Every structure is written in C-alpha cells, then in structure tokens.
C-alpha cells in the first residue's frame, strides 16, 4: 500500500499529542499507521505539523494496548473477565455506592486527553445519571487560576491573534515546543524575522522561543509575579496606558492604577533578578505596539503565585487596550464550551417576536409535541406518512424555534446535573471549585479521611492522575481506600494498576473522536474524526461503555427511548421537536442527553456511527448560541436547519470545518458582563499583590539548594499516551538539564548519573549540560517514567516526576501544584550505576 499509494489512500484524521490537534493524513497497512503527513486541507493547521505525530503508530499498535476487561484480585493482581461481567458488576457497585452514600460521593476524573473528548460527554451523562456532583481533570491542576481571572474580568476564555500580533508576549510558555497555537513554529519565525514585530518572553530558561525573542526577561525561578508587576507598573507610572480606551471599555480602573502606582519598580526588578532597564524597555515595546497578544502557560500556572500572575499578565493587554482588534486578544466562540458556561450571543439584528408567539411556542413544545411524538411512534416505518409528519414538525419548528430555542437548549447545553460550575467548595477540605473542577491537588485529601462526606468511588477515564498529579504514592493510597475505582483506558496505566476494574478502550484512531479545544478567532474550526479502522478486538469506545453502564442502571423509562427513536426515524426535525419537548417536560433528563441521543438518534445511524449523535447536538447548540457567526461561516439556513447543515458539513468534511466566522469587534459581544465592559479590579488578587509587596522570594534552602522545573516540553516529549520509549528519537532517557556552572560546581558531565532528592522522594537520572539553564535551576521533561511491557517484563524509562512533588506546595487560591518550582538536592551517583538503577 505505502509504495503504490494514491491520493485517495491517505485518510484524514488529527494529531492527538497536543491541544492544537493539527490535521494529519495517514496511510494504513492493515492496522498500522505507516506514513503520516500534515493535512493541507485542514482549515486550522493548513498542512503544518511538528515532528511528534510521525511515529503515532507507537501509540496505536504498541505492546501497551489491553484487550480484555480486568478485575482486581485480593492479592492486587488482575484477572481477565468478560465485558458483560465487568459491566454488570460495575453498574451494581455504582448503584450500591449511590444508594448507601448518595450520588455525590461518586467522583469523576477525566473526560479525555488531547483530542479525546467525545467520551467525556457520555461520561458526564453517567455522572449526572447517578447524581454525581464533584469532578476534575488535568485542567484542575493547570488552568483554574486563569479561569478565575477570566471570569472576573469578562466572564469567558480569551485567546491571542498571534499571526497578526505586532508584539507577542509569552509568559512561562515555550510555543516552539509546547505549541498551543496554530502553526506555532512558522508563526514564531515570522514574528522573529520581521523587524517591525517583536517577541517578549518571561522565562527562567533560555528556551527555544526565548532564544528567538527580542526581549527575554530571564527571571529567577518562581519570581514571575514581581516581573509582571514591574511591567504593569512601568506602563502606569510612565503613562503608557490606553487611558481613553480604558475609560470607555473598563470599570474599576482607578483602584487598579493606584495599585500599580504604588509598586517600587526598582525593587521588583531586583526581586525577580531582571535588570530594571530591560523591564522598562519591554513595557515600552508593548505600549507602542499597534497590537499585543499574550500567552501564559504551565511555567506560571504551576509556579508560585499563579493566580496573581495570571491577573498581572492579563493587565498587560488590558491596560494597553489590546482587545477586539487584529493581533490582540479575543473571546471566541465554541462548538461546545469546554470550560465556562454555554450562553447565547446577542444577534446582529435581535429577533423580534411577541410574547404571545413565545407562549404559543412553549405550549406547542409542551403539548403539541407530545401529541406529535405519539403520532411519530405510530408512523414508525411508514415512509409516506413519515414525510408528512416530518414536514409538519419542520413547519412547527419554523414557527416557534427562534422564540424558544435558547430556552429549550439551555438545560441541555448545561448538561444540567448537580455540578455548580461557578461556585462552591469541596465537601471535606473546603477547597474552591472553579469551572466545575475541584483542585486536582485536593482529591487525595477528600478521600483519605474519616469525614462522612468523603468520596467513596472514583471513575477515571482516559487520564492517568496517579502519574500526573502531585505525590503519586498518596494518590495511590487514596484510590485503594475507595469502595470502587474504575479506569477506562487503552493501557494498563499507572492509575489503572491501582483500580478495581480496568476497561480497555478503543484507540483514538478506532472510533469517532473530536477535540473541544475550539479556541480560535476569528475563524473557529472543528473536526470530527472518523474511525480509521474498527476497534481492536476486545476493546470498546467510551460512548459504548458508558451507554452500556447506563442501560444497566435503568435511568430512563424505556417508553421515552422508544418514542424518541421513533421520532428520529421520521426525520431530524421531528426528532429535534421531540427531544426539546421531552426535556421541557422532564428537565431531570437534561443531564443525560448524551446518552439519550446515543440510544435514540444514534440508533438511526449506521451501526458503529452512534457517537456522531453527540456531535449533532454540538452543531445545533453552536448554531442556537452563535447564529450570526455560524451564518458568516456559510451556514445560512434559518431555524433548526442551520444546525442541521452544520452537522452535515462536520460529518462530511473530514478535514474539519470552519463553523464560525467572527469579526474582531464581535469579541465585545462575547463578554458575559451585562455592561459589556472589562471589570479590571479583582479585590482579593489586588490584596494578595499588596501582601507580596512585603515578600522576599526564596524557594531553596541549605538542604534543597536547587529548583527543579518538573515537566519541561521538549522535541521528544509528549503526553503519557505515548508509553513506548522507542517513540523518542533523541533524549531517550529524558535527561536532567543543568547549567554549565552548576555542572562544574558538582563535578558532573553530560551523561553522568545523579540522584535527585526532594522532600517527597528520590530519583536517579542522567545529566545534560545545557546553556538553556541558569545556575541553581534544573529541569526534567514531561511524559517520562511510564511503564512499558518488554520481553523481560515492564521497563520504566526516565523519571516519573510526581514521585518528587508534593501536594502541599500549591497555589493559595486554587491549589495548582508548583511542579515548576520543586526544591531539590543533587548528588553524584557512582559511575557504575545506571539511571534506572
Ligand atoms: S504535537 Fe501539537 S503541534 Fe505537533 S503536530 Fe501534534 S497537534 Fe500539531
């Protein structure tokens, strides 16, 4: 096949190794991905890909794949069991936990890795179905601080228009390796090449991006807050802010300006270790730019003061008026909001409808649709009558859809379960919940206690928290103390090894999948990936697994399933009408809509295509919420026809679809505050900055004299779905990077083995002397330290970082762990010892 491949043999899918999800094309030989290239047709990545996906076959066909449900024996080993046995037992034990302790005691973790998000929607349905209230995932140790700041400033998520920015500012972010934006490397090269544009980087390391930068503010590790504070203060004290713009578009400005007037720039520069002149020069470059976009990432999100840092970095573009214009920052549309609430965008021309029409519409939904559903049920299989019924449904929807669609869609879009996304605290430790996520660092504390409200069961899907959260051993103890733990994954991961049941999932290339990271502006894109091959024998897709469990939990009246299925057989308009009216009459079912559509609409799709039904829901919800932007993307139909056409395009255009086209000024309409202004004052963070004013940063001690940055993104690191060490072409061991000065002081050379000792654990690793590092700062890569089956048993290559981290060093507000700031001691190991030894 590879030799004689024709263009038609290349199959379209996406890379799954970072949130960019670049479009790729693959050639198959049997089940092997033999050749991979960037897909020029992909509307976002346009043919670009980095080197990472070229060996994705190591994920697809590695020895790590499991092909049978597993049940834990009392001695900790696993036995293979049938799918029916596994599903029966898990459903019964879930029901027992719910009945004895309440559904709130079931904790859900995950909802997918990069580009593996459809399963999460179905998982939410199970979670809601059993009355779950608390959940989290990797974002709960990364993005919650930023989400809090976003919520207060304007109520939504922002992204930068870097392709058009005059100045790009990266804080704790190395897009050359960690990407995070479309076509990251070409975009960086264009920025660096153009003398009229500039890159500003705040990073303790001289990363690849920092090396290209016009201004690299090389802070001492952990001191970002003082560098960012000094930049903001320079803008204010040198009167470089967009005063008129702020007066028009922001509230609370005066108190924020006073905060920055009070900062001693010279002293802040000293504390972060950057020459004051360099900070002032960078601030002046930001101020004189026509456009500025900023990007913060794990470098600050997993370092001290992450919430305040997030606030201060956003003030750089707020104070200079860089919002809603080319090259600036924007709030964007969603196919379905991954974080934050679903909400409708004000239309260009508000639809005027009388109260009477809305009332009639609601009555039609409540009563008329019920009668129609009964008719649809009787028409099941009668083609001519079915056509008539579909036309009747279409006419009915045409009449009242504009007046009731938002109200009808709202509970469905919120997957209305118990989760209060915006408020609340955890039941045991009182940790703050943000964007519906409890701090990942609090999970073990919510379990390892005799508190009556502790979690009793945990469902973990497509995630490896035992490996990726701080203090792995404590997380293992927490899992083992629960009444029930279930893991769904393609491999027997570190987390799976601590579970009671492991359910083998189909790979991302064996099922329908999609990424919900639709973060682009002004052209927002979405790609539904089709399976490239059937599931590996013995495995099942997550939607299929969740649906089977929900069947066993008997959560829905079979009559409702039958009636909705009959409506779907009549037509999509009949189905839309029936679904809306069902949720209107039984709002308690809104939280399990993914299951309902899978079992009803999905039943009318070709076998194996059922999971497309959730994407059908996304398409309609996106069109209802953002009809003008969807129309500008070419979907010009009225009413529910718009969502239907969008769904058909998503289904048929395998390279992906631009589903919304925004205008730059539209970013204002995405602001959630009623006054459509940016609310710049966040009192608790301003108070915190005043406290930090008195703090002298120091994160090392005599015992632990170095700072370890745990989780550096490198050319050959990826998330831990890559388990095969042979995937890495270079840096196979994931060496510890160290400055030449530190290496000389410790008398170590590249390739030597050292021992790392933290307050939590010990690990050995090889050394790489690197000019990237400043003295006192060392770094280890992410994605290492996972087990992989070999001929002589499992091998583990590299350091599992969270054997070295602790849950106690964390952000004051949202508990984000300081993985990028781990105090450590380094000792030279006898040269006869290997890194694994
Ligand atoms: S790793 Fe990220 S940037 Fe690289 S090809 Fe995959 S999705 Fe694109």
């Amino acid at each position: 096949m590879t030799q004689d491949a024709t263009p038609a043999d290349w199959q379209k899918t996406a890379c799954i190794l970072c949130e960019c999800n670049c479009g790729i094309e693959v050639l198959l030989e049997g089940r092997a991905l033999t050749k991979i290239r960037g897909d020029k047709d992909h509307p976002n990545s346009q043919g670009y890909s980095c080197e990472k996906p070229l060996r994705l076959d190591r994920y697809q066909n590695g020895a790590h794949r499991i092909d049978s449900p597993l049940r834990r024996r009392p001695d900790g080993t696993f036995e293979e069991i049938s799918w029916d046995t596994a599903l029966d037992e898990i459903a019964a034990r879930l029901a027992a936990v719910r009945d004895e302790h309440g559904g709130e005691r079931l904790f859900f973790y995950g909802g997918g890795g990069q580009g593996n998000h459809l399963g999460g929607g179905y998982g939410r349905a199970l979670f809601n179905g059993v009355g779950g209230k608390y959940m989290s995932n990797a974002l709960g140790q990364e993005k919650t601080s930023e989400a809090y700041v976003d919520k207060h400033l304007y109520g939504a998520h922002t992204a930068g228009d870097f392709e058009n920015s005059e100045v790009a500012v990266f804080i704790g972010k190395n897009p050359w390796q960690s990407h995070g934006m479309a076509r990251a490397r070409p975009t960086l090269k264009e920025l660096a090449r153009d003398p009229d544009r500039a890159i500003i980087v705040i990073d303790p390391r001289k990363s690849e991006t920092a090396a290209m930068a016009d201004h690299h503010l090389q802070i001492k590790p952990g001191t970002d807050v003082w560098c960012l504070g000094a930049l903001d203060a320079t803008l204010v004290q040198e009167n470089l802010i967009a005063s008129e713009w702020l007066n028009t578009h922001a509230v609370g400005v005066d108190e924020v300006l006073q905060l920055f007037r009070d900062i001693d720039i010279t002293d802040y520069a000293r504390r972060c270790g950057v020459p004051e002149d360099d900070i002032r020069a960078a601030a002046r470059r930001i101020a004189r730019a026509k456009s500025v976009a900023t990007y913060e990432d794990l470098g600050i999100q997993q370092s001290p003061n992450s919430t305040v840092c997030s606030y201060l970095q956003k003030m750089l573009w707020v104070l200079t008026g860089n919002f809603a214009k080319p090259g600036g920052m924007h709030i964007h549309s969603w196919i379905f909001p991954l974080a934050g609430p679903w909400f409708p965008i004000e239309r260009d021309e508000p639809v005027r409808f009388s109260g009477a029409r809305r009332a009639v519409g609601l009555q039609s939904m409540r009563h008329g649709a019920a009668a129609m559903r009964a008719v649809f049920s009787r028409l099941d299989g009668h083609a001519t009558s079915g056509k008539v019924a579909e036309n009747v449904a279409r006419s009915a929807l045409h009449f009242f859809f504009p007046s009731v669609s938002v109200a009808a869609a709202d509970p469905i879009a919120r997957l209305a379960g118990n989760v209060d996304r915006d408020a609340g605290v955890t039941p045991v430790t009182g940790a703050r919940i943000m964007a519906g996520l409890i701090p990942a660092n609090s999970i073990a504390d919510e379990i390892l206690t005799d508190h009556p409200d502790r979690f009793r069961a945990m469902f973990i899907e497509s995630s490896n928290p035992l490996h990726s959260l701080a203090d792995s051993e404590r997380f293992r103890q927490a899992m083992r103390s629960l009444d029930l733990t279930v893991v769904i994954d393609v491999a027997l991961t570190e987390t799976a090894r601590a579970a009671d049941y492991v359910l083998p999932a189909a790979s991302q290339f064996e099922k329908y999948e999609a990424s919900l990271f639709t973060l682009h502006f002004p052209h927002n894109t979405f790609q539904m990936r089709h399976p490239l091959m059937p599931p590996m024998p013995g495995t099942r897709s997550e939607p299929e697994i969740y649906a089977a469990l929900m069947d066993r939990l008997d959560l829905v009246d079979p009559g409702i399933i039958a009636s909705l299925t009959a409506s779907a057989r009549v037509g999509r308009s009949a189905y839309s009408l029936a679904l809306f009216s069902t949720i209107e009459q039984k709002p308690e079912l809104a939280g399990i809509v993914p299951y309902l559509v899978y079992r009803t609409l999905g039943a009318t799709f070709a076998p194996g295509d059922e999971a497309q039904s959730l994407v059908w829901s996304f398409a309609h919800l996106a069109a209802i919420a953002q009809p003008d932007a969807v129309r500008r993307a070419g979907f010009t139909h009225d009413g529910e026809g718009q969502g239907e056409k969008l769904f058909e395009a998503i289904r048929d255009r395998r390279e992906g679809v631009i589903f919304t086209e925004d205008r730059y000024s539209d970013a204002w309409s995405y602001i959630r505050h009623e006054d459509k202004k940016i609310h710049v004052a966040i009192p608790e963070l301003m108070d915190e900055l005043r406290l930090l004013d008195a703090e002298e940063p120091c994160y090392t001690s005599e015992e632990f004299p170095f700072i370890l940055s745990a989780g550096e993104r490198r050319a050959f690191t990826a998330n831990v779905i890559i388990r095969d060490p042979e995937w890495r072409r270079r840096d196979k061991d994931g060496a510890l990077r160290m400055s030449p000065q530190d290496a000389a002081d410790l008398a170590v050379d590249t390739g030597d083995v050292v021992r790392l000792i933290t307050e939590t654990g010990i690990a050995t690793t090889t050394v790489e002397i690197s000019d990237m590092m400043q003295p006192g700062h060392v770094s280890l890569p992410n994605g290492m330290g996972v087990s992989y089956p070999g001929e002589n048993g499992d091998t583990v290559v590299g350091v599992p970082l969270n054997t070295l981290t602790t849950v106690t060093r964390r952000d004051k507000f949202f508990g984000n762990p300081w993985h990028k700031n781990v105090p450590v001691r380094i000792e030279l190991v006898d040269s006869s010892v290997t890194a694994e030894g």
Side-chain angles (χ1 to χ4, degrees):
M1 166 67 81
T2 306
Q3 297 286 321
D4 313 317
T6 68
D9 293 327
W10 288 89
Q11 300 203 44
K12 292 180 187 298
T13 182
C15 173
I16 52 173
L17 296 180
C18 87
E19 81 264 30
C20 294
N21 296 113
C22 298
I24 57 173
E25 294 182 308
V26 301
L27 276 183
L28 295 177
E29 265 182 30
R31 300 181 70 85
L33 314 180
T34 54
K35 281 205 167 178
I36 296 177
R37 66 186 185 190
D39 180 6
K40 292 193 174 71
D41 297 331
H42 191 277
N44 206 31
S45 56
Q46 300 167 26
Y48 171 79
S49 80
C50 70
E51 66 281 355
K52 295 191 184 191
L54 300 180
R55 291 160 29 115
L56 269 172
D57 194 58
R58 301 258 172 198
Y59 155 78
Q60 167 61 29
N61 290 309
H64 59 284
R65 297 288 305 273
I66 51 174
D67 59 3
S68 169
L70 301 172
R71 180 174 58 198
R72 188 183 199 83
R73 295 192 187 100
D75 66 359
T77 60
F78 286 98
E79 61 186 332
E80 295 188 354
I81 54 176
S82 72
W83 272 102
D84 277 344
T85 303
L87 294 168
D88 289 345
E89 290 184 8
I90 292 169
R93 291 179 65 176
L94 277 175
V97 170
R98 176 195 60 193
D99 296 345
E100 188 176 351
H101 303 291
E104 293 180 17
R105 306 282 81 86
L106 169 66
F107 180 67
F108 184 84
Y109 188 94
Q114 306 287 6
N116 193 48
H117 294 163
L118 286 191
Y122 295 98
R124 276 293 294 277
L126 173 67
F127 172 77
N128 289 334
V130 295
K133 185 173 179 183
Y134 301 102
M135 60 188 301
S136 198
N137 56 39
L139 299 178
Q141 67 162 350
E142 298 173 357
K143 306 296 178 192
T144 40
S145 290
E146 186 179 13
Y148 169 79
V149 175
D150 282 340
K151 179 180 169 226
H152 277 266
L153 293 179
Y154 28 71
H157 182 264
T158 52
D161 182 21
F162 292 98
E163 288 197 4
N164 297 301
S165 301
E166 181 179 322
V167 171
V169 186
F170 300 110
I171 310 108
K173 170 79 184 165
N174 177 17
W176 188 266
Q177 296 296 12
S178 65
H179 313 287
M181 56 193 192
R183 306 174 64 255
R185 290 177 185 172
T187 302
L188 287 173
K189 282 184 193 162
E190 283 160 23
L191 273 159
R193 218 174 11 233
D194 189 337
D196 296 328
R197 302 172 75 190
I199 299 173
I200 297 174
V201 171
I202 301 175
D203 198 320
R205 291 184 317 120
K206 191 169 184 181
S207 66
E208 289 85 350
T209 307
M212 302 168 80
D214 301 84
H215 301 260
H216 176 203
L217 307 180
Q218 191 169 15
I219 53 171
K220 291 187 280 188
T223 62
D224 310 72
V225 75
W226 289 282
C227 184
L228 287 162
L231 281 167
D232 287 319
T234 303
L235 291 173
V236 172
Q237 293 177 26
E238 294 192 10
N239 199 21
L240 301 173
I241 60 174
S243 300
E244 216 172 294
W245 186 93
L246 286 166
N247 286 337
T248 307
H249 294 298
V251 294
V253 177
D254 288 347
E255 36 185 326
V256 173
L257 296 187
Q258 191 55 51
L259 177 80
F260 294 132
R261 275 188 205 109
D262 291 342
I263 283 178
D264 179 341
I265 297 170
T266 305
D267 196 44
Y268 272 40
R270 177 190 61 77
R271 281 188 251 182
C272 69
V274 178
E276 179 180 343
D277 286 350
D278 291 359
I279 291 178
R280 289 185 183 271
R284 290 170 193 148
R285 184 67 189 90
I286 289 170
R288 71 169 182 271
K290 286 197 189 72
S291 60
V292 177
T294 68
Y295 200 142
E296 67 164 73
D297 211 343
L298 300 186
I300 62 167
Q301 290 169 345
Q302 296 188 330
S303 280
N305 307 305
S306 58
T307 312
V308 182
C309 284
S310 190
Y311 176 60
L312 295 178
Q313 76 86 359
K314 285 169 194 292
M315 284 301 106
L316 294 175
W317 58 261
V318 171
L319 291 172
T320 50
N322 281 291
F323 181 73
K325 66 181 192 180
M329 300 297 294
H330 306 277
I331 303 172
H332 50 83
S333 58
W334 294 95
I335 191 77
F336 185 78
L338 192 63
W342 180 90
F343 62 98
I345 303 304
E346 216 169 86
R347 301 188 67 144
D348 288 350
E349 292 177 24
V351 180
R352 308 240 173 261
F353 48 81
S354 65
R357 189 164 170 186
R358 180 199 287 267
V360 171
L362 283 172
Q363 287 306 316
S364 301
M365 270 201 348
R366 274 176 203 151
H367 305 300
M372 276 196 220
R373 275 207 319 268
V375 174
F376 298 154
S377 301
R378 286 196 288 277
L379 290 179
D380 200 0
H382 294 80
T384 310
S385 311
K387 260 186 204 154
V388 173
E390 171 70 352
N391 285 336
V392 170
R394 194 169 296 141
S395 301
L397 277 173
H398 184 73
F399 174 71
F400 65 74
F401 190 86
S403 61
V404 301
S405 59
V406 168
D410 186 66
I412 297 173
R414 284 188 289 112
L415 283 177
N418 288 332
V419 174
D420 179 351
R421 300 183 65 86
D422 290 332
V425 295
T426 58
V428 173
T429 66
R432 288 165 75 165
I433 295 172
M434 176 47 51
L437 304 176
I438 80 164
N441 249 335
S442 300
I443 297 169
D445 291 339
E446 298 292 323
I447 296 168
L448 292 171
T449 167
D450 57 5
H451 193 289
D453 293 338
R454 65 187 182 276
F455 299 142
R456 306 291 181 140
M458 178 153 42
F459 216 99
I460 301 170
E461 184 222 301
S462 307
S463 302
N464 193 358
L466 193 146
H467 183 272
S468 63
L469 302 187
D471 197 345
S472 299
E473 182 50 36
R474 190 163 159 74
F475 197 86
R476 187 193 325 275
Q477 289 168 17
M479 284 184 71
R480 292 309 316 135
S481 72
L482 290 164
D483 296 354
L484 172 67
T485 46
V486 182
V487 167
I488 301 177
D489 213 309
V490 297
L492 193 60
T493 64
E494 290 63 32
T495 306
R497 286 163 198 250
D500 296 314
Y501 293 89
V502 184
L503 300 178
S507 85
Q508 292 213 44
F509 301 112
E510 298 168 349
K511 62 189 177 189
Y512 283 98
E513 255 309 346
S515 166
L516 296 184
F517 290 130
T518 50
L519 315 178
H520 316 112
F521 190 102
H523 324 288
N524 209 347
T525 62
F526 179 72
Q527 181 184 18
M528 180 175 78
R529 310 194 308 270
H530 290 240
L532 303 181
M533 62 193 87
M536 187 172 86
T539 67
R540 296 188 184 182
S541 72
E542 292 91 341
E544 193 182 348
I545 295 169
Y546 285 122
L549 283 170
M550 292 184 75
D551 290 344
R552 285 163 168 80
L553 286 163
D554 220 3
L555 297 169
V556 186
D557 175 356
I560 290 176
I561 299 283
S563 166
L564 283 172
T565 307
S567 305
R569 292 215 166 92
V570 169
R572 298 281 171 72
S573 297
Y575 183 74
S576 301
L577 188 57
L579 182 67
F580 276 167
S581 72
T582 299
I583 301 304
E584 160 71 19
Q585 288 172 342
K586 292 187 171 295
E588 68 276 13
L589 295 180
I592 61 167
V593 160
Y595 168 72
L596 280 183
V597 297
Y598 184 93
R599 276 285 176 250
T600 58
L601 180 62
T604 66
F605 294 163
D609 289 357
E610 296 87 348
Q612 287 186 11
S613 56
L614 188 59
V615 177
W616 175 87
S617 313
F618 291 159
H620 280 276
L621 292 171
I624 290 170
Q626 305 142 151
D628 293 328
V630 171
R631 178 170 291 107
R632 282 192 291 273
F635 305 98
T636 55
H637 297 72
D638 287 332
E640 51 103 28
Q642 189 182 33
E644 203 57 42
K645 290 296 171 193
L646 176 56
F647 169 65
E648 288 169 8
I650 290 169
R651 183 193 59 200
D652 298 340
R653 295 186 212 161
R654 297 196 176 196
E655 68 277 15
V657 173
I658 293 177
F659 68 94
T660 50
E661 281 282 357
D662 278 306
R663 299 159 301 198
Y664 285 101
S665 59
D666 289 336
W668 293 110
S669 57
Y670 287 103
I671 289 184
R672 295 294 316 280
H673 302 316
E674 276 192 10
D675 59 7
K676 299 296 173 194
K677 293 188 177 187
I678 299 175
H679 293 195
V680 293
I682 305 181
E684 70 174 332
L685 299 189
M686 296 166 71
D687 288 346
E688 184 67 11
L689 187 60
R690 290 186 193 100
L691 287 178
L692 289 167
D693 204 49
E695 188 173 309
E696 199 62 41
C698 180
Y699 304 106
T700 55
S701 62
E702 265 188 41
E703 188 181 8
F704 301 115
F706 293 88
I707 288 296
L708 167 68
S709 178
E712 180 189 356
R713 269 55 180 169
R714 298 181 184 170
F716 281 94
T717 66
N719 50 46
V720 289
I721 65 169
I722 297 291
R723 302 185 69 86
D724 183 349
E726 291 305 314
W727 174 80
R728 288 185 284 278
R729 285 190 195 276
R730 298 191 300 274
D731 188 25
K732 289 198 175 221
D733 297 337
L736 177 81
R737 283 185 172 158
M738 176 185 290
S739 74
Q741 184 181 316
D742 286 338
D745 290 349
L746 290 165
V748 297
D749 208 343
T750 291
D752 284 350
V753 177
V754 294
R755 183 181 298 115
L756 301 174
I757 302 133
T758 68
E759 63 180 277
T760 318
I762 299 175
T764 55
T765 177
T766 52
V767 167
E768 176 195 333
I769 298 174
S770 168
D771 289 330
M772 283 183 169
M773 309 306 297
Q774 60 175 281
H777 192 212
V778 293
S779 86
L780 281 170
N782 71 311
M784 307 293 295
V786 294
S787 63
Y788 190 75
E791 278 177 15
N792 302 314
D794 287 354
T795 58
V796 176
V797 176
V799 177
L801 298 172
N802 287 308
T803 56
L804 297 174
T805 59
T806 164
V807 294
T808 56
R809 291 170 52 77
R810 58 170 134 182
D811 179 65
K812 173 177 182 176
F813 298 96
F814 297 101
N816 292 328
W818 298 354
H819 288 340
K820 304 296 185 278
N821 192 285
V822 182
V824 65
R825 184 166 75 249
I826 302 171
E827 296 173 351
L828 185 59
V829 174
D830 184 305
S831 57
S832 62
V833 178
T834 64
E836 285 78 35

